[in-house]
Amino acid sequence: MFKSLFVCAILGVLVISVKCNLISVCLDDKKLRVDCRVQPKPSKINSYEFSWSSGSKELVINTNGSGSAADLQFKDKSQVEALLPHGYRMTLQGFTDKLPHNTTYMCKISGVPATVTLENAKLLQCSAVSMFLQSSCIWTICLLLFFCNTQT
């Protein structure tokens, strides 16, 4: 019993940490929230950049990196805070869903990129349940639970 529980726990940590999305996007009362959980490289100064694109046009929303600047329309509307144990959260005030049908949301932490493409009509409200449903690790968790239950 304890051996199978231990094996399931180890598999869960390994599989979930590899397969889950590194970026999640949700709405919180006219605020767009983008969580970027890319682990920065230890030998680099942490820099971040949040942007979105539709078609061939990419707009930087917020950055602390040198060499690029946020688009003027986002200058005083976005803020970034650190997430523990690693990553950053960008919040864009006054978000309206008047973007084109499909939008690719991007973030880079210390040069490591993460992207997700979403239909604006399908942006979920920020909650623990919706963020769990948005992640790509649902099937992995279900498979892991099935495996653990068949081992007992």
Side-chain angles (χ1 to χ4, degrees):
M1 170 73 176
F2 289 111
K3 183 179 178 182
S4 64
L5 185 61
F6 179 73
V7 169
C8 288
I10 296 297
L11 283 174
V13 169
L14 292 175
V15 172
I16 290 171
S17 65
V18 171
K19 296 292 182 185
C20 292
N21 283 338
L22 297 175
I23 185 172
S24 58
V25 181
C26 64
L27 293 173
D28 185 16
D29 191 35
K30 295 199 179 196
K31 292 184 238 173
L32 179 74
R33 188 175 91 189
V34 181
D35 289 351
C36 187
R37 292 176 298 277
V38 173
Q39 188 165 2
K41 296 177 182 176
S43 61
K44 285 192 156 191
I45 297 173
N46 287 343
S47 63
Y48 58 79
E49 180 177 299
F50 289 87
S51 59
W52 70 38
S53 72
S54 183
S56 61
K57 187 175 183 179
E58 180 178 343
L59 294 174
V60 175
I61 301 169
N62 198 320
T63 184
N64 71 346
S66 61
S68 65
D71 193 90
L72 291 176
Q73 65 180 318
F74 306 120
K75 187 167 175 65
D76 296 323
K77 293 183 179 182
S78 65
Q79 63 184 28
V80 176
E81 61 185 286
L83 295 175
L84 295 176
H86 56 267
Y88 290 94
R89 171 176 291 160
M90 188 274 305
T91 305
L92 178 62
Q93 305 288 332
F95 177 76
T96 59
D97 57 359
K98 298 200 187 322
L99 292 171
H101 189 61
N102 289 331
T103 303
T104 301
Y105 298 90
M106 297 162 283
C107 66
K108 290 180 194 169
I109 296 180
S110 298
V112 179
T115 63
V116 65
T117 301
L118 298 171
E119 292 181 34
N120 289 326
K122 294 186 179 180
L123 279 174
L124 299 174
Q125 292 297 314
C126 297
S127 71
V129 173
S130 67
M131 297 311 289
F132 177 75
L133 293 173
Q134 185 179 349
S135 71
S136 66
C137 49
I138 297 169
W139 67 270
T140 307
I141 293 170
C142 292
L143 185 63
L144 182 64
L145 289 173
F146 174 76
F147 176 72
C148 288
N149 284 334
T150 59
Q151 296 299 314
T152 55

